[in-house]
Amino acid sequence: MAYNCLLLDMDDTLLSFKDSERYALTKVLEKYNIPATEENLNTYHEINDSLWQDLEKGKIKKHLIGKIRFQKFGKAIGVEIKNPDQMNKEFMAIMRESAILIDGAIEFLEDVEDYATIAIVTNGTETVQMNRLKISGIGDFADGVYTSEKVGATKPSKQIFLA
């Protein structure tokens, strides 16, 4: 069966979100003198994953994730984070500059670019994802990029795929 359009997710399909997240989180925790232990990194990851799952289920709005993840993280590890919004802004700035490719991603895109339209579909934050596409080189292969912010719907809603 031949496909004429491939809809690809960015994170954990083409780019390693986990590696980028770990890098950005470690940098932010170091700045705030919070130990970047495996336990702390795992705690943050669990909280963040839970919030993104809530987004996909329609239980939370996207803009709230950044507002509450560091607040919940601080409570979970017993550290008062006085300005979780600022901490999130710093985290997002580092994430914006972190685009760690999954092994074979570019080679895969090179193999299919002449045979199929490539569309990137992501729930990630628009400014972060667009910069990560640019610095990773993945953006050069994309015929279209559809973020949940731009489309006004999040995966797995059919509206984002219809766009």
Side-chain angles (χ1 to χ4, degrees), residues 11-62:
D11 290 317
D12 297 327
T13 301
L14 300 170
L15 297 176
S16 174
F17 180 80
K18 186 176 182 178
D19 290 343
S20 292
E21 178 187 59
R22 181 182 189 86
Y23 172 77
L25 184 58
T26 298
K27 290 287 194 190
V28 168
L29 294 181
E30 287 172 356
K31 180 176 180 183
Y32 285 86
N33 297 314
I34 298 171
T37 63
E38 284 301 315
E39 184 178 351
N40 285 349
L41 294 172
N42 288 337
T43 298
Y44 170 86
H45 184 69
E46 289 171 13
I47 291 166
N48 194 51
D49 274 1
S50 175
L51 291 170
W52 282 96
Q53 288 169 13
D54 286 349
L55 173 73
E56 289 176 2
K57 294 174 187 170
K59 294 181 179 180
I60 188 173
K61 297 290 183 189
K62 190 175 193 175

Side-chain angles (χ1 to χ4, degrees), residues 96-111:
R96 188 175 187 275
E97 300 300 322
S98 179
I100 301 168
L101 287 160
I102 288 181
D103 288 341
I106 295 294
E107 293 81 4
F108 166 75
L109 293 169
E110 288 171 342
D111 286 348

Side-chain angles (χ1 to χ4, degrees), residues 84-104:
D85 287 337
Q86 181 60 34
M87 194 172 189
N88 186 65
K89 285 178 186 170
E90 293 171 24
F91 171 77
M92 294 300 288
I94 298 168
M95 279 296 292
R96 188 175 187 275
E97 300 300 322
S98 179
I100 301 168
L101 287 160
I102 288 181
D103 288 341

Side-chain angles (χ1 to χ4, degrees), residues 106-125:
I106 295 294
E107 293 81 4
F108 166 75
L109 293 169
E110 288 171 342
D111 286 348
V112 300
E113 73 174 326
D114 292 334
Y115 305 103
T117 299
I118 298 171
I120 307 293
V121 183
T122 178
N123 280 341
T125 305

Side-chain angles (χ1 to χ4, degrees), residues 58-72:
K59 294 181 179 180
I60 188 173
K61 297 290 183 189
K62 190 175 193 175
H63 72 278
L64 293 176
I65 292 174
K67 293 183 179 291
I68 60 177
R69 65 177 153 202
F70 283 105
Q71 186 177 42
K72 284 186 167 203

